[in-house]
Each structure stands twice: as structure tokens, then as C-alpha cells.
Amino acid sequence: MPVVNVDPDELRRLTGHDEKSDEAFKEDLFALGLEFEGETEDGQLQLEFGPDRLDRLSVEGVARSLRYQYGDDRGVYVPNTNDPDWTVVVDDSVPDERPYVTGAVIRGVDLDDDALDSLIQLQEKLHATMGRKRAKGAIGIHDLTMLKGAGYGDDGGNSVTYRGVDPEGDRFVPLDADREMTPADVLESHPTGETYAPLVDEYDRYPAIYDELGLFSFPPVINGRRTEVSTDSRELFVELTGTDQWTIDRMCNVICYALDARGATVEEVTVEYPDERLVRPNFEVDEKTVAHERIEGMLGVDLDVEEAVDLFERSGLDADPEADGETVTYEVSIPPYRTDVLHPLDLIDDVGRAYGFNDLDPSYPDVSTVGGRHERSVHESAVRTSLVGLGFEDLLNFHMISEAENYDRMGIGPGTDVVGGGAPVTITEPYSEDYTMLRTWALPSLLMVLENNTHRAYPQDLAEVGLAAAADDGENTGVAERRTVAGAVARHDATYEDAKSRLAALCHDFDADLATPATTHPTFIDGRAADVVIDGETVGVIGEVHPRVLVEHDLELPVAAFEFRLDALA
């Protein structure tokens, strides 16, 4: 989950609530779904939140949400914009892999150290989330006064050109460098270039943005030093390039709203494609419809229309009620910085937060049956209890994972006939590159936990009972789901026998017969791996994790592990 550092003094200033203590802010932010994770060395609050609310990736966005929650601001706010003076001309030479561009000009911004730090953090957090580590969208922010625009149009406007450049073509001085370099030089010898080289190194021509003086931006890798932004900058040129116009337009909106909150003026930019002209930023307001009855039914409260409209407005939305007999529906206007509202339920969630989830009264449903735990849940609980009794820490990890974590770092390939090698169930439009598929087995999740806890004391014995899934055309849904049991023993003397003794004790608790004939598996050491055979059926694998996998996870101690299907213990 994204974690954002927020200066509480900045939060007080931007919300206009100097009387609020840090503790009061923590409570108010928790009501909005932002959890306090700790403090930095300089006293900034570390806030974790769901990756859907990308408008809260900066102190400006967090302050905006609080002002709505306090009732200080109401309804949809759209910044006023000046008419465009700058044009981004898209040349035919732009690489087909990264054809889209958008942007804005920012006038009159006051960038003190806090504001500049917030802007940089927002840029990097957007890169990491919606931009998918710059693969889908990348942001460049420049000091406008250092650009020399080419003349464009009859009105004497300025222009820059988005075009392709040969890898060994025009030179420029990138950020954090003191000499001119070609784009190929940047990818080979600049630290930032080396990090993002995989995004463009297979292109025949690299993306680049030029003004009258030459190349000043090499997206998605690095900006030129000539246009570097500092606290002295008062006018900015914001450009975004990517693989999808909608994505970079929404990223641009989030940045523009953050700078508007600092008192800046947003100026439009014309984007001139060979066959189309756009004016950006795109501040069009979206609309969705939700029924009053559905809001009450979902939240379990009775609301009159005026109260519902008030809650919408305190969520930063506008709502126009329309009555058809006794049925009331709302045409809800959604501001352009909100990228998360995809369904009426998202609107109901906003209404619930404005009402206060802690103020909702729990009630029993109006049915004649009495609820109870499902047999599967009871069985899982029994397995977890046995694992804890055997010395394991019980974990609950995300069911979603990346393909690199699930396959590559474990030494297996998708669609292979080994435990964990099932075909991936992928997400078409994931929010993050860290969560692109449903995991096919749970052991990668355990190794990721071990990787993130190398600073903790050993031994570390971890176990999880959870979901695993693989694509299967034989299923009606196209997905075969199963519950899986995984355990890992990490210590200086961990061996196959340590894992097997735990597994044997677990099977004994459930009167199951265990056999472990030798096998091979890419994740485990040859000669130190076996099939898990329970009651005559092969249901999993056990062994000592291969040194190659340990090194991949920065683990310096041996690990022995097992994984098998939960239903084998039924």
C-alpha cells in the first residue's frame, strides 16, 4: 500500500485548522481511510492508504479531503484555467510504443522547501502507482523560464516538440550530471538511466522533448539539468508521456490540483497530434447515477434527500436529486482528480465516510436463520491452530502478487507441471505492477515476508493457509481456485528434516498418512526435495530452498519449506 509522508504543520496550514493536534489529525485521517504508520525522523506523519485515492498522494490532497470532511469546502471544485499559450507538437517520429503526451503550464507558484518536497514526493508516488513505475506514465516538471519556445500559430504562441531521437543522437546535460550525454550514454552510465533503461532500451528511437534550444527531456528516464526546478521557480511546464492518454491525463489532473492548492494558476496547453488537437489539462466533470434506496440499503441508515446531498457535497461531489414517484435517484458529478469512482458503490462509500462509519449502528438482518461458521472455515481454523502449536507464526498475505515474484524469483515458469507453475490469472488493468495476478502458490509470499524481515531475530518459522489460483479452461469461470497450506522454517541450521517433522506432526493431528518420495522442483535443491503424498495422493512439495532462490531474496540463512492442498487434510 502507498505510504505518504505528511508534515503536520503543513497540514494545519493548508486545512486552516491551526488548533488541530497531531492526535486529532490521526483520528480524522483514520475516518477517511488513511492509517497512521509512524513518524519520520523529522516528525512527519507516515500515512498508509488504499491505492485507489491517488489524489491523496500529497499533503495538498490530504488537506483537501480533510477540508471536505470538516465541511469547510463543499461540492465539486474545478480550477479556473488560462487560455493556452504553449503547444506540444507531436512529431511522426515519436516511438509507437509511447505515443501519448499531455501537460499544463503553472503560473505564480510559491515553491518553498516544503512545497518542493511535496511536489517531488507526489511525482514519485504517481510514478510508482498509476504510472506503473513510469512504464505507463511518466512526469516531467520543468522551470518554464528556462525554455525557449519555437513560434507556433498565427497568435505568436510558443511550442515544444515531442519526437523520437536516435540513441546516439542529440546530446544534453541530464539532472545530477555535469557533462553532455547522448540518450544511449544516459542509459549506460547515469544511475537514473540504468534504473529505467529497460523501459526504452529496445526502442529503435527514444522519446524526447525539444524546445528551440534543443533536447530538454528524455521521458520516461530523466529531465535535462537546464530546466531543473528549484525554490526560485515561479512558473512551471508540466509534461507527461505514456502508453495511455486517459492515464496520463488523470495523473496531470492530480498534479494541477495540488499546485492549485498552493495558490498557483493553471494554464492550458494545446497538444497537436498529426490527426487530432487536444486542449489539456482535461478538467471535464464525470457523472454517475445512484439510487437513494440503494444508499440507505447499503449503509443501513435512513436519510432524507437534503441530508444525502449534504453528505455528497462533504465528499467533494455534487448531487442533483431527481424524483420519479417515490423513487429518488441522484446525478452525481465527480471532480476530474478522482480516478477511483468506477461504480455507484464507490459513491456510496464516500457517503458512508462523510456520515461516519463509526456512527453506523450495527443491527441484525431481518431473517429467521442463525448464522454460523462454514465447515471450510472451521477446518481452516483447526489447521491454523495446529500450525501455531507447532511453532509457526500464522500469516495472512495478499492473494495478489506480481509475475516476477510468483515465478521468476522462485525459479519456475508459468504453465509448467510443478507446484506453483500453473498458468497465471492476470489482472487486465492493475493499479500497481506489484499486484498483477492471483498467486498460484503461497510460498512466494512467505519468502517475501522473510526478505522484508532479515533485520529480525531468528529463527523465523512462518506458515499461511490461504488462496491460490490458476487459469483453467475446464472450469466454468476459467479459473481453478484452491486453498493451500504453506510453511517455511528459516534458521542457521534449517534442513529438510526440520520441515518434514513439522509436516508429519501436522498430518498426524488430522489422522492423515504422509509419504515423501523424492522429486525435483526448481525452487528446491536437487536431492533435498520430495513430493507431499497424503493418503496416497500427491498434493504438494517439500524441500530445502535452492541457494539461487535464497540469494534472489537476500536471505543469508537456509530455509526449508513445504506447500500442499488444504483439502488433503479434510
Side-chain angles (χ1 to χ4, degrees):
M1 298 292 227
V3 175
V4 175
N5 298 333
V6 171
D7 185 339
D9 292 331
E10 279 283 278
L11 203 54
R12 276 183 274 271
R13 187 176 71 81
L14 290 169
T15 58
H17 285 267
D18 294 335
E19 80 285 357
K20 288 281 186 179
S21 67
D22 290 2
E23 292 303 317
F25 272 140
K26 292 174 188 177
E27 293 181 7
D28 297 338
L29 292 168
F30 185 78
L32 290 173
L34 285 77
E35 297 189 23
F36 174 70
E37 288 293 305
E39 291 188 7
T40 63
E41 292 182 356
D42 56 356
Q44 292 191 339
L45 307 180
Q46 294 181 306
L47 305 175
E48 181 184 70
F49 59 96
D52 53 339
R53 288 302 301 267
L54 301 182
D55 56 295
R56 293 174 177 167
L57 287 171
S58 66
V59 65
E60 296 87 359
V62 174
R64 182 192 311 116
S65 294
L66 285 174
R67 286 185 58 81
Y68 279 122
Q69 187 75 352
Y70 298 152
D72 298 331
D73 292 333
R74 309 182 70 84
V76 172
Y77 168 71
V78 178
N80 294 321
T81 57
N82 293 340
D83 293 336
D85 178 59
W86 285 79
T87 298
V88 180
V89 180
V90 182
D91 190 77
D92 289 332
S93 63
V94 168
D96 293 337
E97 298 89 346
R98 203 172 188 88
Y100 299 106
V101 64
T102 191
V105 167
I106 307 298
R107 306 276 189 184
V109 64
D110 184 10
L111 287 179
D112 58 15
D113 288 332
D114 291 332
L116 183 57
D117 289 344
S118 178
L119 180 60
I120 293 172
Q121 176 180 235
L122 176 59
Q123 180 182 9
E124 292 308 313
K125 294 296 183 181
L126 284 172
H127 280 159
T129 53
M130 201 170 187
R132 297 186 196 168
K133 299 179 180 178
R134 306 193 189 185
K136 193 171 184 179
I139 306 162
I141 303 177
H142 310 269
D143 189 324
L144 182 66
T145 62
M146 301 307 295
L147 292 177
K148 182 179 181 181
Y152 191 83
D154 297 335
D155 56 358
N158 297 290
S159 72
V160 296
T161 302
Y162 181 42
R163 50 167 287 193
V165 60
D166 291 332
E168 299 290 350
D170 295 326
R171 294 177 172 272
F172 73 115
V173 180
L175 288 173
D176 301 320
D178 56 7
R179 65 182 179 90
E180 289 190 337
M181 306 172 74
T182 67
D185 292 337
V186 171
L187 301 188
E188 292 173 4
S189 59
H190 193 288
T192 303
E194 293 173 3
T195 300
Y196 295 103
L199 297 179
V200 297
D201 58 5
E202 294 185 0
Y203 294 3
D204 294 330
R205 295 173 64 82
Y206 296 158
I209 304 179
Y210 286 74
D211 68 350
E212 190 78 350
L213 300 179
L215 193 160
F216 69 89
S217 179
F218 176 22
V221 181
I222 197 167
N223 294 342
R225 184 173 172 179
R226 167 163 61 96
T227 60
E228 182 176 5
V229 175
S230 70
T231 53
D232 295 326
S233 302
R234 294 294 176 265
E235 297 186 341
L236 307 178
F237 180 75
V238 181
E239 45 86 2
L240 298 91
T241 63
T243 61
D244 177 72
Q245 187 74 50
W246 186 92
T247 298
I248 59 175
D249 281 342
R250 295 310 181 275
M251 293 170 68
C252 184
N253 289 348
V254 173
I255 293 172
C256 289
Y257 267 82
L259 292 170
D260 174 81
R262 295 279 182 180
T265 300
V266 178
E267 181 177 293
E268 294 174 335
V269 166
T270 302
V271 179
E272 194 77 46
Y273 287 106
D275 56 354
E276 184 182 18
R277 172 180 291 181
L278 304 177
V279 176
R280 291 295 185 263
N282 181 9
F283 284 164
E284 291 183 4
V285 174
D286 195 10
E287 291 187 346
K288 291 194 180 298
T289 302
V290 63
H292 184 90
E293 181 181 15
R294 192 171 191 187
I295 297 172
E296 292 184 326
M298 187 66 64
L299 299 180
V301 296
D302 294 326
L303 301 171
D304 56 39
V305 172
E306 291 76 14
E307 186 177 7
V309 170
D310 174 72
L311 294 172
F312 276 119
E313 291 180 349
R314 285 180 50 215
S315 302
L317 310 169
D318 284 334
D320 182 18
E322 297 181 0
D324 184 6
E326 296 183 357
T327 302
V328 177
T329 59
Y330 300 94
E331 285 290 333
V332 182
S333 299
I334 304 158
Y337 61 82
R338 292 288 298 273
T339 64
D340 60 299
V341 182
L342 306 176
H343 190 275
L345 288 179
D346 296 316
L347 302 175
I348 297 174
D349 178 76
D350 278 1
V351 171
R353 291 194 182 280
Y355 184 90
F357 285 137
N358 291 335
D359 295 329
L360 298 176
D361 294 324
S363 60
Y364 286 103
D366 187 19
V367 294
S368 59
T369 59
V370 177
R373 295 186 67 180
H374 193 278
E375 289 182 6
R376 187 189 73 183
S377 176
V378 173
H379 179 55
E380 286 188 14
S381 179
V383 173
R384 288 193 175 95
T385 299
S386 292
L387 288 168
V388 171
L390 293 169
F392 287 103
E393 291 283 343
D394 183 32
L395 302 184
L396 180 61
N397 287 302
F398 292 126
H399 297 155
M400 293 184 65
I401 198 171
S402 70
E403 294 184 49
E405 296 286 358
N406 191 85
Y407 298 117
D408 300 342
R409 302 186 74 199
M410 302 299 291
I412 65 175
T416 53
D417 190 22
V418 297
V419 174
V425 180
T426 57
I427 309 302
T428 302
E429 291 290 340
Y431 269 113
S432 168
E433 286 188 342
D434 295 330
Y435 306 103
T436 61
M437 60 170 285
L438 293 175
R439 65 184 183 184
T440 58
W441 57 330
L443 188 54
S445 300
L446 299 189
L447 290 183
M448 291 167 64
V449 174
L450 289 173
E451 180 181 15
N452 291 327
N453 286 276
T454 54
H455 60 293
R456 303 287 185 182
Y458 287 90
Q460 294 182 26
D461 301 340
L462 310 179
E464 180 177 4
V465 180
L467 175 74
D472 186 348
D473 293 336
E475 297 287 337
N476 290 335
T477 60
V479 177
E481 298 182 14
R482 71 180 189 282
R483 308 298 289 183
T484 189
V485 181
V489 178
R491 57 187 69 196
H492 76 278
D493 57 353
T495 65
Y496 169 87
E497 287 73 18
D498 293 313
K500 182 178 177 181
S501 63
R502 306 287 186 90
L503 178 60
L506 179 63
C507 291
H508 181 268
D509 286 347
F510 290 86
D511 297 323
D513 294 328
L514 173 67
T516 53
T519 190
T520 59
H521 190 289
T523 302
F524 301 96
I525 300 172
D526 288 347
R528 304 296 291 171
D531 287 327
V532 175
V533 180
I534 297 179
D535 292 336
E537 183 180 0
T538 301
V539 294
V541 67
I542 182 174
E544 294 179 13
V545 177
H546 198 285
R548 179 187 63 252
V549 177
L550 296 179
V551 170
E552 179 66 34
H553 290 83
D554 295 326
L555 299 176
E556 298 179 356
L557 298 181
V559 177
F562 60 80
E563 180 157 350
F564 64 94
R565 293 202 323 261
L566 173 65
D567 58 13
L569 296 179

